Amino acid sequence: MTTFELLERAKSAKGAMATASTEAKNRALLAMAETLEARSASILSANALDLEAARGHISDVMLDRLALSDSRIAAMAEGIRQVAALPDPVGQVLRTVNRPNGLHIEKTAVPMGVIAIIYESRPNVTSDAAALALKAGSACVLRGGKEAHRSAAAIVEALRLGLERSGLPQDALQLVEDTTRQSANELMTAVGLVDLLIPRGGAGLIRSCVENATVNVIETGTGICHVYVDAQADLDMALSIVENAKTSRPSVCNAEEVLLVHRDAAAEFLPRLRERIPQVELRLCRRAAAIIPGTPAGDMDFDTEFLDYILAVKVVDSLEEAIAHIAAHSTGHSDAIVTRNRQAAQTFTTLVDSAAVYWNASTRFTDGGEFGLGCEMGISTQKLHARGPMGLEELCTYKYIITGDGQIR
């Protein structure tokens, strides 16, 4: 089936999704979670084929990103159940105005229509995106990367079975079969068929969508995330935060890529850090290299999303220098300060212009589940309509519904 045929089918289902009751949508989501777990064996078999084909072509940390297990499938199902438990955003009255002429105006949340998602090698995005789009009353068209296509197809087959069992149209969930650039370009230019396109992946994918799409796009950003260890930081806390932000799962977009350390803390902190995370390659500025051994930082190391056990390290003279460095190099995703100084933290959180700004916490919390959104469609680094983890509310638009009794202007 061609991409346009899939889009036409999704469009034909968006009316049923827009009018589906909260109970019907929740029933469908619970059925989808059940069928996902029931078909875990076939999903894992498909995933094993994807992993076998990818070995030798992608890094070990990216293989981990691709890999599924019984526990990860259970977590995907739990994410769907969490979305079912969330309030339904569709139909919520966001604002009410009663005019002197008797008009009653309600600003009301409504579904987007058809939401298309282009993503790469994370199979769990398949279920997260489907659950969020469907709960938000929209049809969902998924286009994954070739590395995870077998896994995505097995997941979608299970989810569509859940939709069928619940009485909602299977056509509301589609997986694009073509994983070439052509299908991505078709989604980007499907005006009248795609109401919203969300790219979720590397810098090249996102840049291509932003530059070439003629449909509406929400830009999800790459994560060049910073942690700044201030002169007045609790160094034990800072060590724990940096270790978690860099090593807990280095292949994800909220992992730390750059460490900034105030000069007054560097002499004590950096040797302790070197001992704490020996598995991480530290790419050091000249001043950091004078304190600990490591790899000299290259010109692009402070502008690279490594997605690996690599951390760029820079010693700075002041809070202001740290903020200026972040302004020059951050992708606007997630940045953190570790300090006991409340005024320094307030200055940092005010002036660092990122979607998520942390004081004394790891950047790894930038996640829909951790923010109480159930799961997320992606992390938006733009400023219009949606910013940060995109949950149900961000997947709706709104319209004004006006009630009168014969008023004319």
Side-chain angles (χ1 to χ4, degrees), residues 20-34:
S21 67
T22 301
E23 292 74 17
K25 290 186 289 187
N26 288 344
R27 187 167 59 248
L29 290 171
L30 295 175
M32 289 161 60
E34 184 178 329

Side-chain angles (χ1 to χ4, degrees), residues 167-195:
L168 288 180
Q170 281 192 329
D171 281 343
L173 177 58
Q174 301 287 344
L175 177 69
V176 176
E177 298 167 8
D178 178 12
T179 59
T180 67
R181 289 184 179 179
Q182 179 179 342
S183 66
N185 290 332
E186 288 168 347
L187 290 179
M188 293 179 207
T189 55
V191 176
L193 294 173
V194 171
D195 296 291

Side-chain angles (χ1 to χ4, degrees), residues 119 145 265-266:
Y119 60 106

Side-chain angles (χ1 to χ4, degrees), residues 26 54 78 92 218 220 227 290 307 311 319:
N26 288 344
E78 179 58 26
Q92 288 188 8
I218 291 181
T220 63
V227 175
L307 302 174
L311 181 64
L319 169 66

Side-chain angles (χ1 to χ4, degrees), residues 26 32 66 81 88 108 124 131 184 207 210 293 319 327-328 367-368 402:
N26 288 344
M32 289 161 60
L66 172 60
R81 294 187 179 105
D88 189 345
T108 305
N124 66 294
R207 183 172 58 251
V210 170
L319 169 66
D367 174 85
I402 305 95

Side-chain angles (χ1 to χ4, degrees), residues 214-405:
T214 54
V215 300
N216 297 314
V217 175
I218 291 181
E219 179 180 354
T220 63
T222 53
I224 300 179
C225 302
H226 297 72
V227 175
Y228 166 57
V229 178
D230 186 48
Q232 297 184 48
D234 178 322
L235 296 188
D236 290 332
M237 177 191 292
L239 284 169
S240 295
I241 288 173
V242 172
E243 180 182 29
N244 177 262
K246 180 69 261 183
T247 69
S248 62
R249 201 168 181 196
S251 63
V252 293
C253 62
N254 57 21
E256 177 191 6
E257 304 291 17
V258 177
L259 171 66
L260 305 175
V261 184
H262 193 283
R263 65 183 181 188
D264 293 345
E268 179 181 353
F269 181 75
L270 289 178
R272 293 179 64 186
L273 179 70
R274 174 69 283 172
E275 183 177 347
R276 184 74 168 255
I277 54 171
Q279 73 275 36
V280 176
E281 178 189 350
L282 301 180
R283 298 192 178 174
L284 307 172
C285 76
R286 178 181 53 80
R287 296 171 71 182
I291 300 171
I292 58 171
T295 305
D299 291 341
M300 293 303 298
D301 283 332
F302 293 99
D303 296 288
T304 299
E305 186 182 31
F306 298 112
L307 302 174
D308 205 343
Y309 289 102
I310 302 170
L311 181 64
V313 181
K314 180 179 177 66
V315 176
V316 297
D317 288 324
S318 64
L319 169 66
E320 291 73 23
E321 185 182 350
I323 293 171
H325 179 95
I326 293 170
H329 300 276
S330 173
T331 52
H333 191 294
S334 302
D335 298 296
I337 182 173
V338 184
T339 186
R340 290 172 292 196
N341 185 318
R342 180 174 294 272
Q343 182 59 51
Q346 183 175 353
T347 299
F348 186 92
T349 56
T350 299
L351 295 180
V352 171
D353 191 17
S354 295
V357 187
Y358 292 85
W359 175 20
N360 291 345
S362 169
T363 58
R364 288 280 286 111
F365 285 104
T366 307
D367 174 85
E370 296 294 338
F371 281 19
L373 305 178
C375 49
E376 81 206 17
M377 189 66 79
I379 309 296
S380 170
T381 55
Q382 65 180 38
K383 296 185 180 182
L384 297 181
H385 172 64
R387 196 179 195 194
M390 289 184 288
L392 293 172
E393 292 181 4
E394 290 75 24
L395 296 180
C396 287
T397 184
Y398 57 83
K399 66 172 64 170
Y400 289 93
I401 299 175
I402 305 95
T403 303
D405 57 2

